Amino acid sequence: MNYSTVLIDDLNRGTFDSVIPETISLTDTRVAVACVDDKDYILGAVSYQVVGFEYVIDWLYVEPQVRRQGVGTYLIDQVLRAVVQSGEILPVTAQFEFREDDDALHTFFLSFQIMETTYSHERYYVSPEDIKASDALHRSVKAEHKTVGFFDQSEKEQKMILSLLARQHTITVLDYEKWKAECVPELCQCIYINNNLVDLIFMRKLSNGNLELSYLYGKYPRGLIELLGSTVSKMETLFPGASLTFDAMSDESLQLAKRLFPKAKTAHIYEAEF
């Protein structure tokens, strides 16, 4: 079968809704490409962007009826060719889930011969019922601390914090206005002790109405429990019926996740590097 590619942009975005979700925002640093056959039937899509000093593939999808027919390999090849032609000698990485309850492309990634694939971390899927149960973990911390809304601070202070986090290579916000529009202000909070930032949580709303704990910064564990406890309490009030997803990328965050959401379902996250 002969394949060809179509660059996805703001003008034709609606044509490719079946293969690329609304949560993939088209920005100056992202390239999204669709794969079509010789009859212009849409078969799949791939998206990648420059993050730090890497090209990161953050979306790869192939229509179920044409999987294992070379579409995924074709899309990855297009990414690698584009990277080579750019002249930038930077690694190309991908992150994907292993989930027992669907037919995601983890088997493709694991079998792709020109990259190294390793187990990375867990992603947690939290139901509304688990959020309610976790609300009982809300406890006060016996220390002098101040909890404030991230977006209640001045824009200058917000950007200073984002700059600090970027220097630590933990989160990079390239388009402040677009990023802010995706966040849930009531659920983005900070804890300060002696005017020093010690804990921080960012929550974003997905296009399907559910929530994603997109970033967690913690230097004070007891404060972090307090922050997460108050967050799930607010979630139940502000977003009844919404579910939550988040990644646990360290032993500490794994333990925190199990303590806060003992009934959450997990999926293994793998990382691939080309």
Side-chain angles (χ1 to χ4, degrees):
M1 185 180 296
N2 294 321
Y3 304 130
S4 59
T5 56
V6 178
L7 182 67
I8 302 175
D9 56 29
D10 290 329
L11 296 177
N12 64 13
R13 174 63 180 266
T15 305
F16 300 100
D17 284 346
S18 63
V19 292
I20 187 166
E22 292 182 2
T23 52
I24 299 294
S25 301
L26 300 180
T27 65
D28 293 339
T29 60
R30 173 179 278 114
V31 176
V33 173
C35 174
V36 300
D37 63 13
D38 49 13
K39 296 181 180 179
D40 290 331
Y41 183 82
I42 301 172
L43 306 178
V46 65
S47 165
Y48 69 95
Q49 60 180 328
V50 179
V51 179
F53 298 96
E54 293 180 344
Y55 289 94
V56 179
I57 298 173
D58 55 9
W59 177 257
L60 176 64
Y61 175 81
V62 174
E63 292 284 10
Q65 64 271 25
V66 292
R67 289 179 183 173
R68 296 179 177 83
Q69 296 181 31
V71 176
T73 300
Y74 175 84
L75 286 167
I76 293 296
D77 284 343
Q78 299 310 302
V79 175
L80 298 178
R81 287 185 182 186
V83 170
V84 170
Q85 292 174 359
S86 74
E88 296 281 357
I89 306 176
L90 298 175
V92 181
T93 64
Q95 193 177 92
F96 56 97
E97 298 181 10
F98 179 91
R99 296 187 65 185
E100 300 284 354
D101 58 341
D102 65 20
D103 55 355
L105 290 177
H106 56 265
T107 52
F108 160 75
F109 279 104
L110 290 170
S111 64
F112 207 59
Q113 297 299 310
I114 61 172
M115 70 180 208
E116 181 179 345
T117 303
T118 57
Y119 169 68
S120 175
H121 61 277
E122 302 274 9
R123 176 164 297 157
Y124 280 75
Y125 292 83
V126 183
S127 68
E129 290 72 25
D130 205 13
I131 291 172
K132 292 178 183 178
S134 298
D135 186 34
L137 288 173
H138 182 91
R139 297 181 175 89
S140 62
V141 180
K142 297 179 180 179
E144 291 293 328
H145 72 279
K146 179 176 66 173
T147 301
V148 299
F150 179 78
F151 291 104
D152 290 338
Q153 303 177 90
S154 68
E155 185 173 311
K156 180 180 179 181
E157 181 69 20
Q158 294 172 40
K159 290 184 176 179
M160 284 178 58
I161 293 174
L162 292 173
S163 178
L164 166 68
L165 300 177
R167 290 197 300 273
Q168 296 178 357
H169 304 291
T170 55
I171 183 174
T172 302
V173 174
L174 299 173
D175 187 330
Y176 170 80
E177 294 298 334
K178 183 169 286 189
W179 171 79
K180 180 180 178 180
E182 294 176 348
C183 290
V184 183
E186 301 91 338
L187 301 179
C188 297
Q189 301 181 87
C190 310
I191 285 184
Y192 289 86
I193 295 180
N194 297 327
N195 293 319
N196 294 312
L197 177 69
V198 294
D199 297 307
L200 171 67
I201 184 171
F202 289 150
M203 193 79 72
R204 64 189 290 260
K205 190 172 184 179
L206 305 178
S207 58
N208 59 11
N210 290 324
L211 303 174
E212 178 188 70
L213 200 168
S214 62
Y215 182 75
L216 198 63
Y217 173 82
K219 296 174 65 177
Y220 180 48
R222 293 183 65 189
L224 196 56
I225 288 288
E226 166 76 6
L227 200 58
L228 285 166
S230 64
T231 299
V232 297
S233 179
K234 288 183 178 180
M235 281 180 59
E236 186 180 356
T237 302
L238 298 173
F239 299 93
S243 60
L244 171 71
T245 59
F246 65 94
D247 291 355
M249 303 185 70
S250 66
D251 290 339
E252 292 80 6
S253 57
L254 278 171
Q255 294 304 315
L256 191 63
K258 291 176 181 178
R259 180 176 177 183
L260 276 171
F261 303 108
K263 297 180 181 179
K265 294 182 178 180
T266 63
H268 296 308
I269 304 295
Y270 288 86
E271 289 187 350
E273 183 168 344
F274 301 85

